[in-house]
Amino acid sequence: MPVLASPAPSALTAEDDLPFSSRGPVSAAVLRHLTEGVDDGHTARAETAVAVTADIERDDDLQLALFALYASSYGAFPALRADLEWDPALIATRRVLEAAFEASLRRSVPVPDLPEPTGDSVARALFALTGAEGGPSLSRYLARKATLAQASEFLVQRTIYTLREADPHSWAIPRLSGRAKAALVEIQSDEYGGGRPDRVHATLFARAVRGAGLDDTYGAYVDLVPAVTLASLNTMSMFGLNRRLVGAIVGHLAAFEMTSSIPNRLYAEGLRRLGFGDDVCEYFDEHVEADAVHEQIAGRDMAGALAEDRPDLLPDIVFGAAACLVVDDRVGQHMLEAWGRGESSLRPGVAGLPDRDAATTEARA
C-alpha cells in the first residue's frame, strides 16, 4: 500500500533529526536547545515575540515552540534530549509562552454562568454547554460533501492529537483523588484499550491513518498543520501539565467526551461514503458507543464530583470545558472555510500530500 509523502526535509539544521521544522526565531531557538543543549536566548526572544504578536493562539512560531516544549515532557520525539526536560531556561520560556497563551484563552473563550457546585448541577450545566447549537458542522460536512482530498486532510489534522490520544488528560490522574480520580481512570482505561494493546484508541487511529494511505509516524505531518491545530493540543497539554489547572483539564475532558459520539458516527459515515473500509472507520465506530458511556461518567462522576469535593475548582472546570469547545471549533472552522474557498486546509507552500485524490484512491484499492 503506498504511503502519501511526508513533508520534504529542509536543509540540515540543529533539528534535522526531527520530523518537522521551526517556523520562526522562537521555535528555532527552542528546538536548537532541546536537541543540542545550546541556549541562544530563546526566553528573551519569546518575551519579545509575545509582546508583539497579533494573536498567540494563531501564531505559528509561538505555537510550534510551545508544542515542542510539551513534546519534551511527553517523550514524543527521541531527538529532544530527555535530560533537558526540566532545563531552567526551557522552563522559563515555557512559562512565558504559557502565561500569554492562557491569558489569551481566558479573554477569547466565553464562559457561561457558574452552576451550583453539586454533581447534578455541574453535569446539567456541562450538558447544556456542549449541547448548544454551534456553527457549521465539520462532521456533517465530512458525512455529506467532503472529497477524498478533504478527508485525507481531516485525518492529517487529527494526527497531531489522536496519535497520542488520551495522554494529555492522563496528567490529571495523580492530581485527583476519590470519585473524580476513579471516574477519570475508568475513562482512560477504555482509551488505552482496557488492557488490550490492539484496542488502544491511538493504535486504532494509527490503523485508520495507514488504511487511508497516510504515514502513521507521530509528527510526520506537523509541518503541514496550521497554528490553530497545534493550539488545540497545546491547550490540553497546558491544562494537563500544570497542577494549578487540574480543574481545567477535567472540564476539557468532560466536554471532549460529551461532544464525541455523534460527530464520530458522522465521520464514519463520510469515510464509508468515500469508499473506505473498516480499517479506517473502526476508530470512529469505536467512539460512537464508548463515548456515549464516557460522557455520563465525565459529566457526573468526574467533573461533578470534583466540583462537589473542590468547589474552588468550579470556575476552571467550566472554563476548561468552554475552551475545549471554542478551540476545537476553530480547527473545524479553519478546515471548512478553506474548503469553502476551494483551497487546502494545510499550510500553504509546505510540501506534502501531493495528488491526494489519486493516492488515496490507490491506497483504498
Side-chain angles (χ1 to χ4, degrees), residues 66 69-70 73 90-99 241-242:
L66 197 51
L69 289 163
Y70 290 144
S73 289
L90 289 167
I91 295 299
T93 295
R94 195 181 106 180
R95 292 187 66 177
V96 168
L97 297 176
E98 283 182 334
L241 279 164
N242 286 278

Side-chain angles (χ1 to χ4, degrees), residues 3-357:
V3 175
L4 301 188
S6 298
S10 59
L12 290 180
T13 67
E15 64 211 56
D16 63 295
D17 289 331
L18 288 169
F20 58 91
S21 303
S22 59
R23 301 187 186 184
V26 179
S27 56
V30 165
L31 288 174
R32 186 181 185 202
H33 195 166
L34 285 168
T35 55
E36 294 186 351
V38 176
D39 177 7
D40 58 359
H42 47 73
T43 303
R45 293 174 190 264
E47 290 170 341
T48 299
V50 161
V52 301
T53 186
D55 183 357
I56 190 173
E57 297 174 43
R58 292 176 171 82
D59 189 303
D60 275 296
D61 187 26
L62 299 184
Q63 288 298 329
L64 184 67
L66 197 51
F67 170 83
L69 289 163
Y70 290 144
S72 176
S73 289
Y74 285 113
F77 305 104
L80 304 181
R81 283 174 41 178
D83 62 315
L84 295 173
E85 178 185 356
W86 295 103
D87 180 273
L90 289 167
I91 295 299
T93 295
R94 195 181 106 180
R95 292 187 66 177
V96 168
L97 297 176
E98 283 182 334
F101 186 37
E102 181 184 351
S104 180
L105 287 173
R106 291 191 183 274
R107 288 192 301 268
S108 67
V109 172
V111 177
D113 293 337
L114 298 182
E116 292 297 313
T118 67
D120 189 56
S121 295
V122 169
R124 286 202 310 269
L126 291 176
F127 277 111
L129 176 64
T130 57
E133 191 67 29
S137 166
L138 177 64
S139 58
R140 285 195 294 270
Y141 181 90
L142 195 76
R144 300 169 186 171
K145 298 181 180 180
T147 65
L148 284 171
Q150 291 165 351
S152 177
E153 290 184 14
F154 163 75
L155 291 171
V156 164
Q157 300 273 10
R158 290 287 293 262
T159 63
I160 304 305
Y161 163 69
T162 314
L163 287 175
R164 297 198 67 89
E165 182 167 356
D167 289 351
H169 300 109
S170 291
W171 294 110
I173 293 173
R175 294 162 181 175
L176 297 174
S177 61
R179 297 174 297 166
K181 183 170 191 169
L184 176 57
V185 170
E186 182 176 359
I187 293 169
Q188 297 302 82
S189 176
D190 285 346
E191 299 290 342
Y192 293 125
R196 297 174 55 190
D198 61 313
R199 303 306 300 171
V200 172
H201 288 182
T203 300
L204 294 178
F205 186 72
R207 190 180 306 152
V209 169
R210 292 193 302 273
L214 296 165
D215 188 346
D216 68 343
T217 304
Y218 185 69
Y221 298 116
V222 169
D223 274 342
L224 298 185
V225 303
V228 289
T229 303
L230 297 178
S232 176
L233 177 57
N234 286 343
T235 297
M236 337 182 189
S237 298
M238 178 173 67
F239 291 168
L241 279 164
N242 286 278
R243 182 163 58 93
R244 64 183 177 81
L245 293 173
V246 65
I249 193 62
V250 165
H252 187 287
L253 179 57
F256 198 85
E257 297 294 339
M258 290 175 173
T259 54
S260 176
S261 183
I262 293 174
N264 275 297
R265 175 176 58 78
L266 293 172
Y267 293 142
E269 288 178 7
L271 292 167
R272 287 193 168 94
R273 174 181 62 81
L274 292 168
F276 290 105
D278 288 345
D279 57 338
V280 175
C281 298
E282 182 183 22
Y283 166 84
F284 302 96
D285 293 337
E286 170 74 12
H287 284 71
V288 174
E289 181 175 349
D291 291 347
V293 176
H294 289 175
E295 67 179 19
Q296 300 295 329
I297 300 170
R300 291 181 168 82
D301 302 328
M302 184 183 66
L306 181 60
E308 283 190 350
D309 296 342
R310 291 283 309 276
D312 58 303
L313 296 180
L314 179 58
D316 271 355
I317 292 171
V318 178
F319 166 64
C324 173
L325 301 179
V326 169
V327 174
D328 286 357
D329 184 62
R330 289 173 185 161
V331 180
Q333 287 300 110
H334 167 80
M335 285 188 266
L336 291 173
E337 289 171 5
W339 297 339
R341 296 190 300 268
E343 300 171 359
S344 170
S345 68
L346 304 178
R347 293 177 67 214
V350 180
L353 302 187
D355 302 319
R356 285 183 293 278
D357 280 332

